[in-house]
Amino acid sequence: MAAGDALLLEIRDLGVSFTTDDGMVRAVDGISLVARRGCTLGIVGESGSGKSVATKAVMRLLPANARLDEGSRILLHREEGEIDIAALPARSRELRRLRGGDIGMIFQEPMASFSPVYTVGNQMIEAILEHRDHLERRLGERFDRRSAREHAIRMLERVGMSNPRLRIDQYPHELSGGMRQRAMIAVALSTHPSLLIADEPTTALDVTIQAQILDLMLELQQELGMAMLFITHDMGVIARIAEEMAVMYLGRIVERGPTREIIREPAHPYTRGLLAALPRLDTARRRLTPVPGDIPSPLQRPAGCPFHTRCPRHMPGLCDRILPQDTDLGSGRSVACHLFGEAAS
Amino acid sequence: MTAPPLVEIRNLKVYFGVRGKRMLQKARGYVRAVDDVTLTVRRGETLGLVGESGSGKTTLGRAVLRALPVTAGGIRFHLEDGPVDVLALSGRELRRFRRHMQLIFQDPYASLDPRMTVRDIIAEPLEAPGHLRSKREVDERVREIAARCRLNLEFLRRFPHAFSGGQRQRIGIARALVADPEFVVCDEAVSALDVSIQADILNLLMDLQEELGTTYLFITHDLSVVAQISDRVAVLYLGRLMELGPTAEIFARPMHPYTRALLSAIPRVEAEHRFAPVKLRGEIPDPAHPPQGCRFSTRCPFARERCREEVPAFRELARDRFAACHFAEELAD
């Protein structure tokens, strides 16, 4: 079995609801997915798709008004045994050790994950020391303050920071946008996580810097053999970084499979619509094909298939009443659409 | 045949003072946000203006609209009844002139007053001097432009908070076009929208241009959007123009090494496309301390001694194609 086949994260029937002043919002509506060691799963979706909420749930970083469904399972298959993250008590030590230990995280806005009052080095050293048991298992080395500092410098160097011995004693605000993003990656990877969750990590960056950061992430993933969950709204970025992808719409996964296959031949009408709406570089002044209508408010989820209000192939009486289940299309692909389900035949 | 010019920008400079650490201290230096830019926007065209952080693209757009002070240079509008030196206008003259130009913002929500109805928001530019219309004429004009922007006329009595991003941007567009301006600056007008909605707004902008003959200066960081909507593209880097030319030609055969790097860095979905970004050294320099010589020389893979010493001239290298690179001919192919 290739290393890439080793199951690391298994999400089953994940559901997240929010209680708001305007009513109940169903942000994630029963999704299941897997991430494998050494592989990247891209999750693509637009506003309200629930992609960020789903991944925050994996780290149990949801706000107080959010509730996980009873039956949600978030299984992390670690070398030392399987653990269900959904079942851990909210403030448990176990959960704190997982975050930033086995599970690394990077976000769109690096300032959100740094404290402005400590130097980059201080924050890295604290993280390394907090997760020293985990690191001892991974690297066979037990860090003290001094060796943790050396490890932090090595990581800063590895992510392409010039002059890491100087940078380590700087404050986050002293770094440029691209450098901060690199520093955040260094922090996330300094504990050698087996899973890296990246939520729109390059969205705020200029395109030439984005290209550098994507290259770096691919290199580091190969080197460390970690699994990556990469959340983005950008199909081009998904095509670049993820072997497999899942397309989300209003809290559901509507299509999943190998990225190349889906982009070449999308099955779900929403995926087709998304790809057709993309402006392309080689077609100046062509009319685009938008997806008709607006994304519905999460407070008014459509009945049946969530996409039926905008779907050009919507079948009245079916799509607006019955939620389509996943249909296996073979070669690792599946789609949740009545056009492909038994109900259609 | 090229269209006649509408807006001529000549050697435009917009510098911002950088203050010292203490308050009231005199300016210590300048950020040359826009530095010696010469550019003509042709009547009826969409000129795409692209650049990364610190390129000065937004500053250039605002300067042309007289929304911030210009340090040096000239801006001339060629209206039907003759040319106007826009920088020479002031007071009432300037206010009257503003009806010829408008701005569409990135975030339609931030630019809409939440206490005004959609009708009043759209009608606001008609209240500027030089219009003097009756309420009935205003109502009629608002309904006409709202219909053109494919807004539901029922919406006119509502308030903007009830609308989705796409609808809000339609309101913003209707407002910009209600007074029939010749020239509209679109500043990241579709950047905040989801892809499935963005396509609709881009189509609308193209349709309106065909119907009304409006000229757009379309500012964005998104190169695929620019490829979609522009007739010509201008590439800015640290306040200077690097390249200018017809969109299809620039995307097929960029002449400036920066344009080449920029285009190669876009992740694309096309299966036949191999992603091989030009490796650029380092980061975009601080605009307060731009490099000597060519602004791009610190990151350019082809930079030589001359590039670090001498500012390259912005030259016409082929018909209608301009670039500012000492070695553009040599680097071609």
Side-chain angles (χ1 to χ4, degrees):
Chain A
M1 196 174 75
D5 292 326
L7 196 62
L8 180 75
L9 178 74
E10 215 182 336
I11 296 175
R12 281 194 223 141
D13 306 319
L14 177 70
V16 183
S17 304
F18 288 89
T19 321
T20 73
D21 293 343
D22 299 321
M24 182 78 102
V25 171
R26 184 81 173 141
V28 178
D29 189 33
I31 65 165
S32 298
L33 50 83
V34 295
R36 296 167 211 284
R37 286 178 204 278
C39 285
T40 299
L41 173 67
I43 301 182
V44 67
E46 300 182 290
S47 312
S49 65
K51 56 190 193 300
S52 283
V53 174
T55 44
K56 288 212 169 64
V58 172
M59 301 174 283
R60 297 282 303 277
L61 283 176
L62 294 171
N65 64 336
R67 200 176 50 79
L68 272 184
D69 285 6
E70 288 290 329
S72 301
R73 294 275 172 280
I74 304 167
L75 303 173
L76 190 68
H77 299 275
R78 298 184 299 179
E79 272 149 38
E80 59 275 23
E82 185 188 290
I83 185 170
D84 183 359
I85 298 173
L88 294 176
R91 266 179 261 282
S92 62
R93 184 144 170 253
E94 189 110 50
L95 206 48
R96 280 207 316 277
R97 274 154 100 185
L98 279 176
R99 288 186 203 131
D102 254 314
I103 305 178
M105 313 164 252
I106 54 180
F107 303 102
Q108 177 173 345
E109 183 35 70
M111 285 311 265
S113 50
F114 282 114
S115 159
V117 296
Y118 296 101
T119 62
V120 172
N122 252 325
Q123 299 182 56
M124 287 183 81
I125 292 164
E126 284 310 316
I128 292 165
L129 291 177
E130 172 154 359
H131 298 288
R132 69 173 112 192
D133 294 343
H134 164 80
L135 270 164
E136 194 174 358
R137 282 195 300 273
R138 296 281 307 216
L139 303 177
E141 183 181 350
R142 188 154 187 90
F143 288 109
D144 57 23
R145 190 154 271 280
R146 230 180 107 183
S147 56
R149 186 180 162 85
E150 286 307 306
H151 180 62
I153 290 171
R154 277 199 302 278
M155 285 311 300
L156 289 175
E157 198 167 13
R158 183 61 199 84
V159 298
M161 300 266 279
S162 54
N163 214 342
R165 281 183 194 279
L166 172 81
R167 300 279 187 211
I168 195 166
D169 294 317
Q170 285 185 327
Y171 289 90
H173 71 263
E174 294 178 276
L175 306 175
S176 70
M179 278 297 154
R180 259 181 233 149
Q181 210 70 20
R182 285 172 195 272
M184 181 166 59
I185 294 172
V187 173
L189 299 187
S190 62
T191 55
H192 286 240
S194 43
L195 173 67
L196 181 68
I197 295 179
D199 189 355
E200 304 262 12
T202 60
T203 303
L205 300 176
D206 282 314
V207 63
T208 58
I209 308 296
Q210 166 172 281
Q212 293 170 356
I213 298 288
L214 290 177
D215 270 352
L216 173 70
M217 292 182 69
L218 284 170
E219 268 175 48
L220 288 166
Q221 183 189 27
Q222 301 247 299
E223 218 174 283
L224 304 173
M226 62 193 174
M228 198 144 79
L229 272 188
F230 198 104
I231 294 97
T232 179
H233 69 285
D234 188 330
M235 279 281 191
V237 169
I238 286 274
R240 167 78 183 125
I241 202 149
E243 293 94 343
E244 289 190 37
M245 71 187 276
V247 183
M248 286 189 74
Y249 186 79
L250 283 185
R252 308 273 309 174
I253 293 178
V254 296
E255 177 162 12
R256 78 178 87 215
T259 306
R260 277 277 153 235
E261 310 290 313
I262 291 183
I263 286 175
R264 194 165 55 214
E265 212 184 327
H268 197 285
Y270 176 59
T271 320
R272 286 184 199 201
L274 264 189
L275 285 163
L278 275 187
R280 309 235 170 168
L281 292 182
D282 44 8
T283 52
R285 298 291 288 185
R286 177 185 59 115
R287 275 187 69 86
L288 291 157
T289 319
V291 181
D294 267 319
I295 300 169
S297 152
L299 287 161
Q300 289 150 12
R301 283 179 63 83
C305 170
F307 187 58
H308 85 260
T309 58
R310 304 173 72 196
C311 184
R313 307 194 56 188
H314 151 225
M315 296 173 275
L318 177 61
C319 303
D320 47 10
R321 293 175 56 190
I322 300 164
L323 182 66
Q325 299 303 309
D326 280 351
T327 303
D328 193 343
L329 299 177
S331 34
R333 291 188 61 174
S334 72
V335 62
C337 173
H338 289 307
L339 289 170
F340 300 85
E342 279 161 30
S345 53
Chain B
M1 200 189 80
T2 52
L6 177 68
V7 187
E8 268 184 287
I9 302 162
R10 290 283 164 262
N11 305 102
L12 191 74
K13 295 180 180 176
V14 183
Y15 294 178
F16 297 118
V18 177
R19 275 185 192 285
K21 286 205 167 143
R22 268 166 293 150
M23 283 222 315
L24 307 175
Q25 201 174 4
K26 274 212 312 218
R28 275 191 315 178
Y30 294 97
V31 174
R32 300 176 178 202
V34 175
D35 201 11
D36 209 7
V37 168
T38 295
L39 188 63
T40 298
V41 188
R42 296 172 185 159
R43 188 170 275 277
E45 80 166 344
T46 299
L47 177 65
L49 187 59
V50 299
E52 300 181 283
S53 315
S55 64
K57 55 188 188 300
T58 292
T59 306
L60 178 57
R62 300 293 154 101
V64 175
L65 296 176
R66 286 286 311 266
L68 45 81
V70 164
T71 310
I75 301 170
R76 191 182 288 270
F77 264 64
H78 294 269
L79 297 178
E80 257 138 42
D81 43 354
V84 177
D85 178 353
V86 176
L87 294 181
L89 300 175
S90 64
R92 195 174 160 74
E93 277 176 338
L94 178 60
R95 281 200 302 280
R96 279 184 78 92
F97 186 77
R98 286 200 183 281
R99 71 191 158 100
H100 297 292
M101 49 195 196
Q102 275 293 342
L103 174 65
I104 299 172
F105 300 86
Q106 165 168 8
D107 181 357
Y109 194 55
S111 61
L112 304 178
D113 185 335
R115 292 160 306 176
M116 286 166 81
T117 62
V118 171
R119 182 251 175 227
D120 291 348
I121 288 169
I122 295 175
E124 204 179 21
L126 295 175
E127 287 158 16
H131 286 285
L132 306 170
R133 298 189 201 211
S134 70
K135 185 175 176 298
R136 234 185 85 185
E137 280 171 320
V138 170
D139 273 339
E140 215 163 276
R141 177 66 191 143
V142 167
R143 294 174 75 84
E144 185 194 331
I145 197 72
R148 274 194 197 280
C149 293
R150 297 175 213 140
L151 269 169
N152 187 337
L153 297 185
E154 298 277 295
F155 292 174
L156 292 176
R157 274 172 296 161
R158 300 195 199 161
F159 293 92
H161 71 263
F163 297 101
S164 66
Q167 297 289 6
R168 283 184 201 140
Q169 197 53 293
R170 284 172 198 281
I171 298 169
I173 293 169
R175 180 184 193 278
L177 297 180
V178 71
D180 213 2
E182 278 94 340
F183 179 64
V184 174
V185 173
C186 307
D187 192 356
E188 303 278 9
V190 298
S191 303
L193 302 174
D194 280 310
V195 171
S196 68
I197 308 294
Q198 173 182 295
D200 201 23
I201 299 295
L202 285 174
N203 282 345
L204 176 66
L205 286 168
M206 288 192 275
D207 293 346
L208 289 167
Q209 181 170 49
E210 237 162 67
E211 291 163 28
L212 309 170
T214 321
T215 304
Y216 295 138
L217 180 64
F218 199 95
I219 301 171
T220 180
H221 71 285
D222 189 330
L223 289 140
S224 38
V225 166
V226 143
Q228 198 66 55
I229 199 168
S230 311
D231 301 293
R232 292 191 303 146
V233 179
V235 182
L236 275 178
Y237 183 80
L238 284 179
R240 280 187 181 269
L241 264 187
M242 298 285 120
E243 185 159 2
L244 169 67
T247 308
E249 289 181 38
I250 286 201
F251 281 79
R253 202 168 57 92
M255 286 180 152
H256 197 286
Y258 175 61
T259 316
R260 227 192 270 185
L262 202 57
L263 295 179
S264 75
I266 309 167
R268 295 162 66 171
V269 296
E270 293 91 327
E272 67 280 9
H273 179 75
R274 233 188 89 253
F275 189 66
V278 174
K279 298 257 184 252
L280 288 186
R281 287 172 284 162
E283 307 260 320
I284 301 167
D286 177 358
H289 305 98
Q292 298 289 302
C294 172
R295 294 274 161 102
F296 186 53
S297 61
T298 53
R299 298 174 77 206
C300 181
F302 310 106
R304 301 175 204 173
E305 203 53 41
R306 187 176 166 203
C307 304
R308 286 179 270 272
E309 284 159 6
E310 190 188 324
V311 177
F314 191 66
R315 322 173 270 142
E316 184 159 12
L317 291 159
R319 212 186 112 67
D320 213 21
R321 296 208 53 184
F322 301 81
C325 174
H326 293 306
F327 302 106
E329 290 90 344
E330 230 176 283
L331 296 172
D333 312 306

